[in-house]
Amino acid sequence: MNGPTRIAIVGAGLVGRRHAEAIWRNPGADVSAIVDPSDEARQYAAQHGIPCHGSLAELFASDHPDGVILSTPTLMHVDQGLECIRNRCAVLVEKPISASAKDAMQLVRAAEQADVPLLVGHHRRHNPLVQKAKQIIDSGAVGAIRAVHSQCWFYKPDHYFDIAPWRTRKGAGPISVNLVHDIDLLRHLCGEIVSVQAQAAPSSRGFENEEVAGAVMRFDTGAIGTLTLSDGIVAPWSWELTAREYPVYPATSQSCYLIGGSEASLSLPDCTLWNQTGRRDWWEPINATTVARPSSDPLENQIAHFLSVIAGETEPLVSGREGTRTLSVIEAIQKSALTGQAEVPETFADTPTVGVAI
């Protein structure tokens, strides 16, 4: 590939602009165009001297980038992703991949049949501390995982909802908007989630969506997981406030994940391993070791990975199928919160069909 890899960004909102900044910090890539019909997007593109198109059809009529990042509302992901695939253009779709796992599989199968790379933007997997945690777990240092706890508590201010009223609607609560990140990491680190039982409480501000939720999860390894989630609690225990990924969130020294194993326990994101050097016994002293790990911007790492996938050098870390499996767990949690019954996340065939033109 001659010259920088050319990436078009669809949707020039906050997330789209963060992707653009990450691309510009990579010497091997450039933003080739913005696709967004808004006046603000045209002004943004003009400021940076790049074309702005009102639609993907308009983009592909005049250009063919090496890749596209979809930073648009979730309901638009499948149709826009299919358009990229029809034009044989690699695509990175922001999470969640779709509004439903069933619709997501339409996109996944089209990408596999056309042999076009489809990635999902679960950027936390590109954080070095997550990669270090995965290495620790896979090394056997924790032993067999027996229990997991995830805590995601924060307070979204009123103006967060005022500037985007859709955030008050049913389906736009913290389960779908925020918990999807945590579920993806729990799956990545601890195994597949095979059943969930959840409860949720309505918004105290009168919105249509939930404000508090909790769930018990069973993993395919036999481990049991618990989680609690709220966007109406003032607290330091969330990935945003503990992982130091994005400077806009004030950092705390707390952790929000606890992973308990037969040999040791691991807290994240502080990456502290708790074990006993002698015999395993609750009367024996327990030691805490904070594991050193490199630090870098997960969004920048995700862009570098996207370039490597486009170049055919590696396979997607978070494929369309991976993103769909995470979404299936979210759907099971939402359904369980309504029915009060344990729910099993929908599963899909793991054998892709590759190389068939669409």
Side-chain angles (χ1 to χ4, degrees), residues 282-299:
W282 66 351
W283 287 337
E284 291 294 318
I286 192 163
N287 308 303
T289 304
T290 300
V291 181
R293 79 276 180 184
S295 177
S296 56
D297 186 339
L299 276 183

Side-chain angles (χ1 to χ4, degrees), residues 64-242:
H64 195 285
D66 300 306
V68 165
I69 296 177
L70 297 181
S71 299
T72 49
T74 303
L75 289 173
M76 303 174 72
H77 288 174
V78 171
D79 288 343
Q80 290 177 333
L82 289 172
E83 189 160 3
C84 292
I85 291 165
R86 283 193 293 270
N87 284 276
R88 308 199 67 80
C89 186
V91 57
L92 169 61
V93 185
E94 263 303 329
K95 68 280 175 189
I97 183 175
S98 172
S100 75
K102 181 179 179 181
D103 290 344
M105 282 307 299
Q106 178 187 1
L107 179 58
V108 169
R109 292 185 176 114
E112 290 174 349
Q113 289 170 358
D115 200 13
V116 172
L118 171 63
L119 296 76
V120 184
H122 284 289
H123 68 277
R124 291 182 186 176
R125 291 205 198 186
H126 296 274
N127 190 318
L129 76 86
V130 170
Q131 294 165 351
K132 175 58 70 174
K134 179 69 170 168
Q135 291 173 7
I136 292 170
I137 292 169
D138 289 349
S139 74
V142 171
I145 296 176
R146 304 303 298 135
V148 183
H149 179 65
S150 167
Q151 194 160 336
C152 185
W153 295 1
F154 44 78
Y155 194 92
K156 292 177 180 174
D158 290 344
H159 65 76
Y160 171 88
F161 302 98
D162 293 340
I163 61 175
W166 63 267
R167 291 170 174 164
T168 70
R169 306 292 186 184
K170 184 178 179 180
I175 292 178
S176 57
V177 173
N178 303 104
L179 189 60
V180 67
H181 296 280
D182 299 285
I183 291 297
D184 187 70
L185 279 193
L186 293 179
R187 288 187 53 250
H188 179 56
L189 295 172
C190 303
E192 290 297 339
I193 296 169
V194 296
S195 72
V196 299
Q197 187 151 14
Q199 292 193 23
S203 167
S204 64
R205 297 183 240 200
F207 301 154
E208 295 177 5
N209 52 40
E210 74 282 351
E211 186 175 276
V212 181
V216 177
M217 304 164 287
R218 180 177 291 277
F219 291 80
D220 60 357
T221 60
I224 300 297
T226 57
L227 65 86
T228 54
L229 164 75
S230 176
D231 63 1
I233 295 176
V234 176
W237 303 294
S238 68
W239 187 266
E240 287 81 2
L241 296 184
T242 60

Side-chain angles (χ1 to χ4, degrees), residues 322-339:
E322 274 293 280
T324 303
R325 290 188 184 104
T326 292
L327 181 56
S328 293
V329 177
I330 292 295
E331 289 182 336
I333 290 172
Q334 291 171 321
K335 184 176 180 181
S336 178
L338 290 174
T339 65

Side-chain angles (χ1 to χ4, degrees), residues 17 36-45 52:
R17 296 185 188 204
D36 189 318
S38 70
D39 292 338
E40 293 85 353
R42 295 189 182 281
Q43 292 171 5
Y44 178 76
C52 185

